[in-house]
Amino acid sequence: MRPARIRGTLPPRLLRAAQLTRRVATHERTAAAARFTVRHGMFATAGAGILARRGWESRTTARYERMMRAAEAAGQPEVAMEWEQRAAAFRSARHQRRMDLITAPVRLAKSLLVGTLATAAGLLALGIAMAISTHHVGETIAPAMFAIHLATMVVYIASVVWSPMLTVAPAIALLACWNAGRKRQAAPSWALPTNNGGDGEPITPSSVVLALRDLGIAPLRKAILEMGDAGAGMLGPITIAGCGVEVDVQLPTGVTTVEVQNKRRKLAENLNRHEHEVFITIPQAARTVRLWIADSGALDQPIGPSPLVTDATATANYKTGRAPWGQDLRGDAALISLFQRHLLVTGLSNQGKTVSLRSLALWLALDPTVEFRIADLKGVGDWGMFDGLATVLIQGPTDDHVIDATEMLEELVEEMERRIQAPAGTVFPPLIGIVDEAQVAFMCPVVGADKRPYGGTKATSRYFMAARKIHNQGRVVNVLLWQGTQDPTDQNLPKLVREGAHIRASLVVGTEAQARMALGDKAVNGGAAPHLLRQGLDKGTLVVTGDGIKLAPGQSSITVRTHYIPDAEAIEITDRAKAERTAVTTRAATEKDTEEVDPLADVAQVLGDAPRMLTREVLQRLADLNPGFYRAWSPQDLKQLLESVGAAPHKSDGQMVVTRAKVLAALARRDDDAPESDAE
């Protein structure tokens, strides 16, 4: 009753004014204007702080210290050490600049004096030349007077422009601050404009429980209804994870994790999300599923450019470094170690397979010790920027190109076997063989002269067996095989080959069976679902499994949104890599050298002054002398050569050796017989 009495005692005019004021204050336009004012005011204020912080970091080591702390927190001591070295270089350069400032006034005064005298002398000389030419003595000072008038005009123009510049400068500075704040969205969330890109609602414990209750799993629904806390006890804390949230759900007895995984689409719709915005994985805890739920529309936004593009000083280290491949769903950098790891990338056609595989090669190209041998069986120029960087570059889809690619792999096998037989402790540089569109090789119907097919999945297949041999033993001597293939089946990607890769990554594939071929049963059973990615919309998004990339405890795979590096920027990166290397002559195919070879003379050359040498050492030196010809030689080949000229190897201290005297004698006999042969 009291409010009514008070209202009754107010004059009608004052009451109407109060109602009008209240209506105006609570009107949507007033609220929008208030949000607009706060938003843009905070943009300018926070932007000033951002610019001030940038200026401070450009003059101090604050940036380097921040990056060192981040690297230490991420468990990357080598990265922290690199930033510490950069900080030391910055301090040294800053100290040198400060020392230069001490002597700057004297040097500036000298420069001004010398410049003034030189200018005056030049003007005087020009005036004398003009006076001689025109026969007028007054022309002597004409250039000097012109310079004086020009300086007067410049001063006048500056005086006219100076005042407006002073007036506009604060507005320009304010605009710069506002723009910096706007780019960072540095305003309270309630003042920012509503994101209309999606229709999702905030994820709360009650919304998750309701979504699980209505999945259509009867035991789960019954258990939730019977819980005294309405199912809240099933949920762990909901935490922000990148562009979404993450929550662990401990299922009641009678409900399996597979049942929830199979209901992914319905769960997403119950949460007011699209299917691709909900990921279900299996953590270590028993009878538990981990839900990652994206902010509505967040996965449709592109990620930033690759650090290889933005940082022209980026380097790589095959042994200790990690390639920046993209971002995981949390928004953290997805870094991958390539040290002694075979790699397989698969997926449907035109989904970003080549670019994803190539981006790793572009990073590794920045390590000058790495050698590449590449076969692109698509042949449209995707790997053309490696010409002059790779020692072998095969580009084309024909059977002849498959034959070249197969021989390239067989050369890798020969090099691998040579390294394995080298003396213990020998360190070998990394040798990376890359075959893009490897399914073309497996499906090749050509049969060689030895009756062995180049393609196929049997033990007689030359490509298949070369790949298997590299997978079996290549890692320990740094001979690695990377393959990219599309639309995997048992025919174009044999089981033994796909399981030989240490790191397996899949873009979108058509079926769960293909997902299992690409990643293996364990990864798919643990929640990996490349078959649920969206064809055409999730280009460059990979589901990755293997020990080369950091996985959350209990997880068997990780989803990575890879950086897209266009051809033009890839060429810039390879140009930087070439500048750090000695010149490389790229072979377009793997034919053996056709120039005439004299094996006996080569044996004499590698023996040098040694009276005798072990046969295996002779073979190794011959392979180093002419890899294309001798790398495939066995001890039996060397024995047959020397026996045919009467210089057969013999045993010395239980080991087969080649004697220099016998080889030289055989050469002399051959030279003596040459004229007679020619005469005949």
Side-chain angles (χ1 to χ4, degrees), residues 296-308:
S296 186
L299 295 183
D300 296 325
Q301 304 299 320
I303 65 173
S306 169
L308 301 181

Side-chain angles (χ1 to χ4, degrees), residues 293-591:
I293 307 160
D295 298 335
S296 186
L299 295 183
D300 296 325
Q301 304 299 320
I303 65 173
S306 169
L308 301 181
V309 175
T310 58
D311 186 2
T313 63
T315 59
N317 188 300
Y318 162 75
K319 185 174 183 179
T320 62
R322 288 180 174 267
W325 210 5
Q327 293 181 359
D328 62 15
L329 295 179
R330 292 173 170 268
D332 299 329
L335 305 176
I336 182 168
S337 171
L338 302 173
F339 176 61
Q340 294 187 343
R341 290 180 173 91
H342 302 299
L343 180 66
L344 172 66
V345 178
T346 188
L348 296 181
S349 176
N350 195 32
Q351 298 304 303
K353 167 180 54 61
T354 295
V355 174
S356 301
L357 182 62
R358 189 179 68 184
S359 65
L360 297 179
L362 288 172
W363 175 79
L364 201 54
L366 297 175
D367 184 342
T369 65
V370 178
E371 178 187 351
F372 292 97
R373 300 184 188 180
I374 301 172
D376 174 16
L377 299 182
K378 183 190 298 180
V380 295
D382 290 336
W383 294 85
M385 66 286 300
F386 280 83
D387 190 6
L389 187 63
T391 53
V392 176
L393 180 58
I394 301 164
Q395 300 182 90
T398 67
D399 290 341
D400 288 338
H401 292 101
V402 171
I403 292 173
D404 291 337
T406 303
E407 292 178 353
M408 181 189 81
L409 257 63
E410 289 174 340
E411 285 189 355
L412 290 176
V413 172
E414 293 168 4
E415 172 63 13
M416 174 191 74
E417 293 173 346
R418 184 186 71 83
R419 293 183 176 190
I420 291 174
Q421 296 173 26
T426 306
V427 178
F428 300 103
L431 174 57
I432 312 296
I434 301 175
V435 181
D436 196 10
E437 305 297 341
Q439 78 280 352
V440 177
F442 285 113
M443 301 296 289
C444 179
V446 177
V447 178
D450 58 355
K451 306 302 182 182
R452 294 178 59 199
Y454 285 90
T457 60
K458 297 182 179 179
T460 55
S461 166
R462 291 177 61 176
Y463 183 91
F464 171 77
M465 289 306 298
R468 285 293 299 141
K469 288 178 180 179
I470 296 172
H471 280 169
N472 287 340
Q473 294 179 297
R475 181 187 66 82
V476 294
V477 288
N478 289 326
V479 177
L480 304 178
L481 177 60
W482 297 0
Q483 295 183 97
T485 182
Q486 61 177 253
D487 201 12
T489 65
D490 281 329
Q491 288 70 41
N492 63 27
L493 186 59
K495 180 179 180 181
L496 291 178
V497 171
R498 61 183 184 246
E499 291 184 349
H502 301 105
I503 301 171
R504 299 165 69 175
S506 177
L507 297 133
V508 57
V509 290
T511 64
E512 181 179 333
Q514 288 182 315
R516 293 182 181 277
M517 291 180 187
L519 301 178
D521 291 336
K522 179 181 179 181
V524 175
N525 292 338
H531 55 290
L532 297 181
L533 296 173
R534 301 168 297 167
Q535 185 174 0
L537 297 178
D538 289 327
K539 279 189 175 183
T541 299
L542 289 163
V543 181
V544 186
T545 183
D547 62 350
I549 192 166
K550 185 178 180 180
L551 302 175
Q555 298 299 299
S556 59
S557 66
I558 184 172
T559 301
V560 177
R561 304 173 69 196
T562 59
H563 295 296
Y564 173 66
I565 304 179
D567 289 351
E569 295 174 345
I571 291 173
E572 294 179 3
I573 296 170
T574 53
D575 287 344
R576 296 205 312 262
K578 292 173 186 177
E580 298 296 325
R581 295 168 175 252
T582 56
V584 173
T585 301
T586 299
R587 287 188 293 161
T590 60
E591 288 87 354

Side-chain angles (χ1 to χ4, degrees), residues 34-48 174 177-178 186-188:
R35 288 196 298 269
F36 178 86
T37 303
V38 172
R39 179 167 67 249
H40 292 283
M42 288 301 297
F43 283 169
T45 304
L174 181 63
C177 294
W178 173 85

Side-chain angles (χ1 to χ4, degrees), residues 609-644:
D609 297 331
R612 63 175 61 89
M613 185 178 294
L614 296 176
T615 54
R616 65 170 180 269
E617 187 175 351
V618 173
L619 285 171
Q620 183 174 342
R621 293 193 179 190
L622 286 173
D624 293 337
L625 178 66
N626 189 341
F629 189 84
Y630 293 113
R631 189 169 289 166
W633 273 38
S634 65
Q636 187 63 29
D637 295 323
L638 179 61
K639 180 181 179 182
Q640 290 177 356
L641 168 69
L642 296 177
E643 285 180 344
S644 66

Side-chain angles (χ1 to χ4, degrees), residues 151-169:
T152 303
M153 184 178 297
V154 171
V155 171
Y156 174 75
I157 294 173
S159 65
V160 172
V161 175
W162 182 252
S163 181
M165 286 182 62
L166 289 178
T167 304
V168 175

